[in-house]
């Protein structure tokens, strides 16, 4: 009997290791469809988040091909394409974005790792500036508490950068009521406000400001996902985070959280492969649909 139990446990370990290996090295396309009366015409965006210097095929050719196949009107980066580390040269992420920027408009929102690189020059020197300048020369637009307007779609795009203490592993954090207004002004009710905000924890405040759609990342889908319970642990080491991945709504505002494409610190994913998010938006009555995975 004991030998049977040992064999079962060994088989379970082997299966789990296989799932972890697969999910840590593979991604899929996740599609959403949203309609909103503020939009002037249909638009498709691809959202990439939390790559953390991960490589899918030589020179990230698998990820590049998957994004190109979607033929997006523009690409949104929801932060943490790199990892704040002295060991990384950010070459893989930069090369991918350079290739994408040659074909599509790319708008880069800051994650906590980019912000850490930029702010801690005593630790990382000018590595962030070198990375940013390299990408800007290829046409990538960095939105560091900046906005850009697309009148053809009636979309105002905003990239929010949060200070580092809003990512700390503590509870009870809350954004001041006027936090977004101080950075972007009041939300013009005539525009569809699309917000890149790496940390999804503050979705109620994003919605209160006037974000019609927020795209986020950061939580990595909870790293390990369980049926019904969802993501097990956030990157802030909180168990079963409320906002782990997928579509959430709050009083007419929507948030789509990418489960990310890579990992760091806890270098694994289980029942939780990476995601390349595709969002189709078009005029119409408010409707948010999570369509399919492919």
């Amino acid at each position: 009997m004991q030998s049977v139990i040992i064999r079962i446990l060994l088989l379970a370990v082997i299966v789990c290791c296989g799932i972890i290996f697969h999910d840590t090295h593979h991604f899929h396309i996740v599609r959403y469809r949203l309609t909103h009366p503020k939009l002037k015409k249909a638009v498709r965006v691809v959202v990439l988040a939390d790559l953390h210097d991960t490589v899918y095929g030589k020179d990230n050719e698998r990820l590049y091909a998957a994004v190109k196949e979607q033929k997006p009107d523009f690409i949104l980066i929801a932060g943490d394409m790199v990892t704040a580390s002295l060991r990384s040269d950010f070459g893989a992420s930069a090369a991918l974005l350079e290739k994408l920027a040659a074909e599509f408009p790319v708008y880069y929102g800051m994650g906590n790792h980019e912000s850490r690189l930029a702010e801690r020059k005593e630790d990382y020197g000018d590595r962030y500036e070198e990375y940013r300048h390299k990408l800007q020369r290829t046409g990538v637009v960095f939105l560091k508490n900046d906005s850009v307007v697309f009148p053809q779609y009636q979309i105002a795009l905003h990239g929010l950068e949060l200070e580092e203490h809003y990512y700390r592993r503590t509870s009870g954090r809350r954004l001041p009521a006027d936090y977004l207004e101080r950075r972007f002004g009041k939300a013009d009710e005539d525009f569809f406000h699309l917000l890149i905000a790496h940390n999804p924890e503050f979705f109620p405040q994003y919605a209160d400001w006037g974000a019609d759609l927020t795209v986020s990342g950061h939580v990595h889908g909870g790293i390990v996902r369980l049926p019904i319970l969802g993501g097990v642990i956030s990157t802030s080491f909180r168990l079963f985070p409320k906002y782990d991945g997928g579509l959430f709504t709050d009083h007419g505002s929507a948030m789509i959280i990418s489960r990310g494409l890579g990992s760091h610190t806890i270098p694994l994913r289980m029942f939780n492969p990476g995601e390349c998010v595709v969002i189709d938006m078009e005029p119409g009555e408010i409707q948010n649909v999570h369509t399919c995975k492919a």
Side-chain angles (χ1 to χ4, degrees):
M1 182 65 178
Q2 185 177 6
S3 63
V4 172
I5 294 174
I6 291 173
R7 289 178 184 177
I8 292 172
L9 291 174
L10 181 60
L11 179 60
V13 169
I14 292 171
V15 169
C16 287
C17 287
I19 292 170
I20 290 170
F21 180 84
H22 176 275
D23 287 2
T24 306
H25 294 85
H26 291 80
F27 69 91
H28 52 211
I29 305 294
V30 182
R31 302 183 187 279
Y32 298 86
R33 184 174 62 84
L34 288 78
T35 59
H36 199 284
K38 291 182 182 179
L39 293 165
K40 269 190 176 180
K41 67 175 186 176
V43 57
R44 169 174 286 188
V45 301
V46 164
V47 180
L48 304 178
D50 299 289
L51 184 63
H52 288 291
D53 303 304
T54 301
V55 176
Y56 289 100
K58 183 180 179 182
D59 299 324
N60 259 319
E61 59 186 10
R62 284 196 286 135
L63 182 53
Y64 165 74
V67 175
K68 184 177 179 180
E69 185 179 0
Q70 305 311 311
K71 299 179 180 178
D73 293 291
F74 49 89
I75 297 168
L76 303 181
I77 306 301
D80 282 7
M81 293 296 279
V82 298
T83 299
S85 168
L86 292 173
R87 296 189 298 271
S88 175
D89 63 2
F90 315 142
S93 297
L96 170 67
L97 293 175
E98 286 173 349
K99 287 181 9 181
L100 290 174
E103 302 193 47
F104 309 102
V106 178
Y107 298 90
Y108 199 129
M110 299 287 283
N112 55 303
H113 280 260
E114 286 90 357
S115 295
R116 191 181 308 163
L117 286 168
E119 297 301 322
R120 297 189 188 179
K121 290 193 174 184
E122 69 277 12
D123 296 324
Y124 304 107
D126 293 326
R127 305 189 73 205
Y128 169 75
E129 292 301 322
E130 293 167 359
Y131 172 73
R132 180 172 64 87
H133 288 151
K134 184 177 182 180
L135 290 178
Q136 285 180 323
R137 287 195 295 269
T138 68
V140 175
V141 177
F142 280 74
L143 295 177
K144 189 173 182 178
N145 292 324
D146 289 322
S147 305
V148 62
V149 173
F150 302 95
Q152 68 272 37
Y153 303 113
Q154 201 73 0
I155 289 175
L157 173 65
H158 315 275
L160 177 67
E161 180 183 34
L162 293 173
E163 291 89 347
E164 191 171 357
H165 64 269
Y166 287 111
Y167 290 98
R168 288 176 186 160
R169 300 177 181 119
T170 57
S171 60
R173 297 169 294 185
R174 184 174 175 84
L175 289 182
D178 63 345
Y179 190 91
L180 274 78
E181 187 172 324
R182 282 190 278 116
R183 282 150 181 79
F184 306 120
K186 290 187 177 181
D188 186 334
E189 294 183 0
D190 291 333
F191 277 85
F192 181 93
H193 291 278
L194 175 51
L195 176 68
I196 306 173
H198 182 65
N199 190 346
E201 182 177 345
F202 306 107
F203 176 42
Q205 287 92 333
Y206 305 154
D208 286 345
W209 170 73
D212 296 294
L213 171 64
T214 300
V215 294
S216 298
H218 186 55
V219 188
H220 297 193
I223 302 173
V224 174
R225 296 190 63 78
L226 298 177
I228 302 175
L229 296 176
V232 172
I233 186 169
S234 75
T235 47
S236 297
F237 296 104
R238 295 184 181 185
L239 291 175
F240 303 108
K242 177 179 180 180
Y243 301 123
D244 56 353
L247 174 66
F248 297 84
T249 59
D250 185 336
H251 296 91
S253 178
M255 176 171 67
I256 292 174
I257 308 173
S258 167
R259 295 188 175 116
L261 286 155
S263 60
H264 71 94
T265 308
I266 303 175
L268 63 85
R269 304 175 70 97
M270 187 173 182
F271 304 116
N272 182 33
E275 289 188 348
C276 174
V277 173
V278 181
I279 308 173
D280 286 300
M281 300 183 289
E282 58 190 49
E285 294 302 312
I286 295 177
Q287 183 180 14
N288 307 317
V289 180
H290 178 183
T291 53
C292 66
K293 298 180 180 180

